[in-house]
Amino acid sequence: MRMDLDDASALARVDAHAVREVLGDFPAQCRQGRAVAVPPPRVKSPRMLVVAAMGGSAASGDLLAAWAAEQVDVPVLVHRGYGLPATATAGTLIVASSYSGDTEEVVSAVTEALRRRLEVVVVTTGGRLAGLAGERGLPRVVLPGGLMPRMALGHLFFPLLGVAAAAGLPAPGAAEVEEALATLDDLAARLGPATPTPDNEAKQIALLLDEALPAIYGGPSSQTAAYRWKTDLAENAKLFALAGALPEVTHNEIEAWGHAGQRSVAALLLRDAGEGPALARRFEALRALIAPAAAAVREVRAPGHGRLARLLGLVYLGQWVSFYAAMRRGVDPWPIPLIDALKRRLAP
Ligand code: F6R
């Protein structure tokens, strides 16, 4: 029997680490992240910004890159891996972000940045990265500990905006940030456990995933959220998901829908007010063609008005979807035993 998502005591039994409270506090966490002190980087007007990070920490870089795509005239790259890309040369600002501070790929990126004599800002709670920052006198943003990295997005993301602004790059203005925070407040009330399923979009979407594999498609601005939905579903609900972006998926993945037997896949289309009419037409055409084969097709509108509100709002909705999908399966969303086991195996 699947859990009734409106049953508060059933939720409390499975959600042993109170992830529902961490998610409910996300708007407050964002406000805290916004208030955090950001040391000024020594490079001004960098020719490129590289966020070196993995997993939940890298998601903050994805959000920065997504916001920057239409506003910032220098490349903002998220580097997920060891070392650094060849293009990171003089004039590049490296932001090394790791919530734990012990992620070996990020430590290796910092080592490489120091070898290339690049400017580095470290964003972490502690670990080896904090040690390196102390030894080498690197500017550091100090994050509060005690959370899972993927649940610390507000702490991780807002300081990145501060670092970008301090380096002289465009960043969202106060009005855009305030509107984003108000949008998150509104979502916290609408998506939390106290809002019953008929009024709760996150619970409704989670129900669609009881028997179906989600295929989450975004457009140019919502693809960042689509990928984050996929990783949250994996880590929180321990559930596979597909994530893709239009227009590209309409040139390849669409064919996989053409075969009978895809009735176990549910399409979640993440629509954004900034997608533009050409993309809107493409979403409509995709929807019409895949609907007969899909277990379900559900459109999800990015909440809010400004770009920051839409980006953060969609990601926040996805966090709640993954939480309720975990509840439906009786899965505690907090622990990540396989990620931990892998890190233990590879530990030096
Ligand atoms: C865990 C999570 C992971 C970590 C990743 C990197 O909640 O989201 O994806 O973020 O393993 O670790 P950190 O963020 O500590 O560098």
Side-chain angles (χ1 to χ4, degrees):
M1 254 272 284
R2 300 268 188 188
M3 179 193 290
D4 172 3
L5 296 176
D6 297 334
D7 179 343
S9 54
L11 283 182
R13 267 196 306 279
V14 175
D15 181 23
H17 297 82
V19 167
R20 61 199 184 287
E21 284 166 26
V22 177
L23 295 188
D25 283 345
F26 183 61
Q29 188 192 110
C30 290
R31 288 185 168 91
Q32 248 181 290
R34 187 188 186 195
V36 118
V38 171
R42 286 175 288 235
V43 59
K44 289 287 175 205
S45 306
R47 63 164 195 83
M48 180 162 76
L49 192 155
V50 175
V51 179
M54 301 300 304
S57 298
S60 65
D62 287 341
L63 278 172
L64 178 69
W67 185 87
E70 285 181 6
Q71 322 269 350
V72 180
D73 63 0
V74 301
V76 175
L77 305 186
V78 182
H79 176 68
R80 290 176 159 90
Y82 294 92
L84 283 173
T87 178
T89 54
T92 300
L93 173 61
I94 309 295
V95 182
S97 174
S98 166
Y99 187 74
S100 64
D102 283 324
T103 296
E104 65 174 34
E105 296 93 321
V106 185
V107 173
S108 118
V110 172
T111 308
E112 180 59 20
L114 292 172
R115 199 186 66 77
R116 293 187 200 177
R117 299 182 194 287
L118 304 178
E119 291 300 331
V120 183
V121 175
V122 167
V123 179
T124 190
T125 58
R128 288 157 69 198
L129 221 49
L132 255 178
E135 281 161 28
R136 306 298 291 260
L138 306 175
R140 176 185 163 199
V141 176
V142 180
L143 304 182
L147 291 169
M148 281 292 187
R150 64 190 182 281
M151 296 173 196
L153 188 62
H155 292 309
L156 287 157
F157 171 63
F158 277 88
L160 287 192
L161 294 181
V163 170
L169 297 175
E176 185 173 353
V177 175
E178 289 303 334
E179 192 250 334
L181 295 171
T183 301
L184 296 179
D185 286 336
D186 177 54
L187 288 173
R190 289 199 283 120
L191 305 176
T195 302
T197 304
D199 305 317
N200 191 317
E201 190 177 11
K203 290 182 181 178
Q204 291 166 16
I205 297 170
L207 294 182
L208 293 180
L209 308 185
D210 276 353
E211 310 299 337
L213 175 83
I216 309 152
Y217 295 146
S221 34
S222 53
Q223 61 180 311
T224 298
Y227 182 68
R228 174 68 193 215
W229 281 43
K230 169 192 159 85
T231 59
D232 272 341
L233 283 164
E235 290 184 78
N236 296 337
K238 283 69 177 167
L239 189 65
F240 280 114
L242 303 168
L246 272 70
E248 180 68 7
V249 295
T250 58
H251 295 277
N252 35 59
E253 191 162 314
I254 187 175
E255 281 302 328
W257 291 90
H259 269 265
Q262 307 294 36
R263 292 212 163 272
S264 52
V265 186
L268 304 177
L269 307 180
L270 306 190
R271 308 289 305 268
D272 183 85
E275 69 196 17
L279 239 282
R281 274 200 305 281
R282 208 166 268 270
F283 263 114
E284 299 310 328
L286 174 70
R287 183 189 176 122
L289 290 168
I290 68 176
V297 180
R298 171 118 183 180
E299 295 216 340
V300 180
R301 295 264 157 199
H305 297 291
R307 190 168 174 77
L308 191 64
R310 303 198 312 270
L311 281 167
L312 280 171
L314 262 187
V315 165
Y316 190 35
L317 172 58
Q319 290 187 311
W320 279 113
V321 170
S322 70
F323 170 78
Y324 293 123
M327 295 300 104
R328 290 290 284 173
R329 282 163 181 74
V331 167
D332 181 347
W334 183 270
I336 39 171
L338 292 180
I339 295 174
D340 290 342
L342 188 127
K343 286 184 181 180
R344 275 197 306 275
R345 266 180 191 238
L346 298 179

